[in-house]
Amino acid sequence: MSHGARILHLRGAAGMDAIYRKVSWRLLPLLMLCYAVAFLDRVNVSYAKLQMGASLDFSEHVYALGAGVFFIGYFLCALPGNLLIEKIGARKTLLRIMLCWGFSAAAGAFVREPLEFYIIRFLLGVFEAAFFPGVILYLTWWYPAARRARAFALFSSAALLAGVGAGPLCAATLATMHDVGGLSGWQWMLLLQGFAAALLGVGAWFHLDEKPEDASWLSSFEQQMIGQDLERDEEALSGPADEEDEPQPAPSAPALIWSLLREPAIMLLAAANLLLIGASYDLVSWSPSLLQRWGAGSHLQLGVLAAIPNLAGVVGMIAICYDSDRRRERRGHFVACMVLAAGGLALAIAADKELAWSLAGLTLASLGIAAASPLLTAILTELLNRGRAATGIALVGSLGLIGGALGPLLGERMLRWGDSAAMLASLVVLYLAAGVCLLAALRLAPRRGGPSAGHGETDKMARR
């Protein structure tokens, strides 16, 4: 879109806010529900294992290795899955992967041997791999850079909301469905949550539109205004298009991957993501066990206590990311999140297993941990133009998820070696290292400005 063809929106920022609220109400509730179920299918094994011991002789090492195997499948398939979304569209891809991961998750109810458990967890990672990076890519087709942190935060908050409900929901299923129809409570839990994913995949096929220009619920004026914002983003990264220049052929996928691997800022963001995800999934995987060590009693009490840090994380994620968009600043917000995470976990260590103070430290840490991921994702998308977005998002995500494979295993080793204090101390180091990597990435990133929500204001988010 040329500068001369742009439309001045006479209602200004308030009018644009109304357009993007309309987009958010249409897209985000269903995507958040899908993500909540995806999160449950990843972590429900940490609750299932509280009851699985009665029927399966699995050691703690088997559960930790199963959690890691999930991320190996995720790592291998995130990049090809995201390229598939760019090629065939989000609706078809979401339908396929949610049907497949739903049935794989449900099949976990019938495992009997560790090898079967590993295979199911690997397949779950394979089929879920394209979901999160695919939705992030999908949202970049609808939101300009200046509005992405809050959109990513709202979407990502679904995982924390699922964490809030996961404890009580899983505990209730374990208790009330045990021995119904000859199945254990943990089997019913895996079946019900797996089939929910398959049903939501069908719902996404009918409800979502690929891009703003395909949305019949947007007026032509609203479509044009969104397109104008997105085009301004593209020009900020690639420069204004010259209509006289012949379009250049798109580089091949291997060439694009290689160019991203040689870009220091992108690789440092991947390292920060690896540290962040590794520490976070370590904490998520072992939180029920930590709470038990700190004095939580029944399954119901455990579920309620586990919900408190997640609820605090939802509030912190939305508030911090909204403030980041409003102030048009990313770096300081991310570093503050890592300091909060490290400080909260240090408090939990100092509490020396006293339940109330340990839980307070975990809650404080959750305020920073939750907001860090959407902030990092927003920074990444601000450094990638349209031609590199699908590959870059998936590449950084898949490299980062190596941490998800190693994190639970690290936690298991540290718990065995030095109890909960040693595990939490290792997480403090990982979170602070993630902050250092992001600072280095932004120092090496080129000076670029994205579009402003106010149409024409300078955006300094890429360097600040």
Side-chain angles (χ1 to χ4, degrees):
M1 181 182 296
S2 67
H3 288 279
R6 285 187 179 144
I7 298 173
L8 177 63
H9 193 184
L10 297 179
R11 290 181 292 168
M16 294 306 296
D17 287 344
I19 293 175
Y20 286 108
R21 276 197 302 270
K22 187 176 181 179
V23 170
S24 296
W25 278 111
R26 175 73 182 194
L27 302 182
L28 291 178
L30 178 60
L31 292 173
M32 289 170 67
L33 187 56
C34 292
Y35 192 29
V37 172
F39 181 84
L40 285 175
D41 286 334
R42 292 183 197 180
V43 304
N44 55 16
V45 69
S46 64
Y47 292 95
K49 73 178 183 180
L50 301 175
Q51 196 182 75
M52 289 171 76
S55 52
L56 301 175
D57 187 21
F58 287 0
S59 67
E60 292 282 4
H61 181 71
V62 170
Y63 293 114
L65 188 56
V69 164
F70 168 88
F71 288 102
I72 294 173
Y74 204 118
F75 167 73
L76 292 174
C77 296
L79 181 54
N82 224 36
L83 294 176
L84 187 65
I85 285 182
E86 187 178 43
K87 182 176 181 180
I88 71 172
R91 293 169 64 242
K92 289 181 180 179
T93 306
L94 287 178
L95 176 63
R96 292 175 182 179
I97 65 175
M98 294 185 73
L99 286 173
C100 291
W101 106 51
F103 290 131
S104 295
F110 303 103
V111 300
R112 288 292 178 267
E113 301 292 336
L115 180 59
E116 295 171 352
F117 179 63
Y118 300 149
I119 292 172
I120 289 296
R121 297 298 295 179
F122 177 78
L123 290 176
L124 188 60
V126 166
F127 295 131
E128 264 196 52
F131 178 75
F132 183 83
V135 171
I136 294 299
L137 175 64
Y138 179 68
L139 292 177
T140 65
W141 299 345
W142 292 82
Y143 293 93
R147 297 177 181 270
R148 285 179 190 160
R150 71 193 86 173
F152 294 162
L154 285 168
F155 170 65
S156 300
S157 71
L160 291 176
L161 290 170
V164 171
L169 176 63
C170 292
T173 307
L174 292 175
T176 61
M177 299 297 291
H178 190 59
D179 285 337
V180 173
L183 298 177
S184 300
W186 66 269
Q187 291 176 298
W188 277 112
M189 183 178 68
L190 298 181
L191 282 169
L192 293 174
Q193 293 175 7
F195 288 142
L199 291 174
L200 285 171
V202 176
W205 166 262
F206 288 105
H207 183 75
L208 298 178
D209 296 287
E210 291 294 338
K211 294 184 178 179
E213 55 265 31
D214 302 319
S216 60
W217 43 273
L218 288 174
S219 69
S220 58
F221 173 76
E222 291 168 334
Q223 292 173 343
Q224 196 165 2
M225 293 305 301
I226 293 172
Q228 179 173 291
D229 273 358
L230 296 174
E231 193 64 31
R232 189 182 289 110
D233 268 5
E234 189 67 13
E235 289 183 5
L237 288 169
S238 304
D242 190 338
E243 295 180 0
E244 296 181 358
D245 290 343
E246 294 184 4
Q248 298 296 317
S252 64
L256 189 52
I257 294 169
W258 179 241
S259 71
L260 290 167
L261 288 171
R262 290 185 291 112
E263 192 167 330
I266 299 298
M267 289 299 96
L268 282 167
L269 285 178
N273 200 32
L274 184 152
L275 294 166
L276 179 61
I277 290 175
S280 299
Y281 272 96
D282 191 353
L283 194 58
V284 167
S285 296
W286 292 101
S287 285
S289 298
L290 286 174
L291 289 169
Q292 281 188 327
R293 288 168 181 257
W294 294 339
S298 66
H299 288 168
L300 181 59
Q301 183 187 19
L302 179 64
V304 172
L305 292 178
I308 294 173
N310 287 316
L311 188 59
V314 171
V315 175
M317 174 187 288
I318 295 173
I320 291 171
C321 290
Y322 179 84
D323 189 67
S324 176
D325 274 354
R326 184 178 65 85
R327 294 178 183 271
R328 311 192 61 71
E329 197 277 342
R330 303 286 193 231
R331 178 172 58 188
H333 283 76
F334 187 89
V335 172
C337 287
M338 295 298 91
V339 172
L340 271 176
L345 294 179
L347 175 60
I349 295 171
D352 194 23
K353 299 184 182 180
E354 201 282 317
L355 179 60
W357 283 106
S358 297
L359 182 62
L362 192 59
T363 301
L364 178 64
S366 296
L367 288 171
I369 293 168
S373 181
L375 284 173
L376 189 149
T377 304
I379 291 167
L380 173 64
T381 63
E382 289 158 15
L383 299 178
L384 298 170
N385 63 17
R386 194 174 299 157
R388 305 198 307 162
T391 305
I393 291 168
L395 181 63
V396 170
S398 59
L399 291 175
L401 280 167
I402 296 173
L406 300 178
L409 292 173
L410 172 65
E412 188 251 348
R413 292 285 183 183
M414 298 304 292
L415 281 172
R416 185 188 303 175
W417 174 68
D419 206 17
S420 59
M423 192 197 82
L424 294 176
S426 69
L427 299 186
V428 169
V429 173
L430 294 178
Y431 283 124
L432 292 177
V436 171
C437 286
L438 184 127
L439 287 175
L442 291 186
R443 182 168 292 275
L444 293 173
R447 292 181 178 272
R448 293 184 178 122
S452 166
H455 296 296
E457 299 172 10
T458 301
D459 177 12
K460 301 177 181 178
M461 290 191 297
R463 285 286 297 178
R464 292 179 60 189

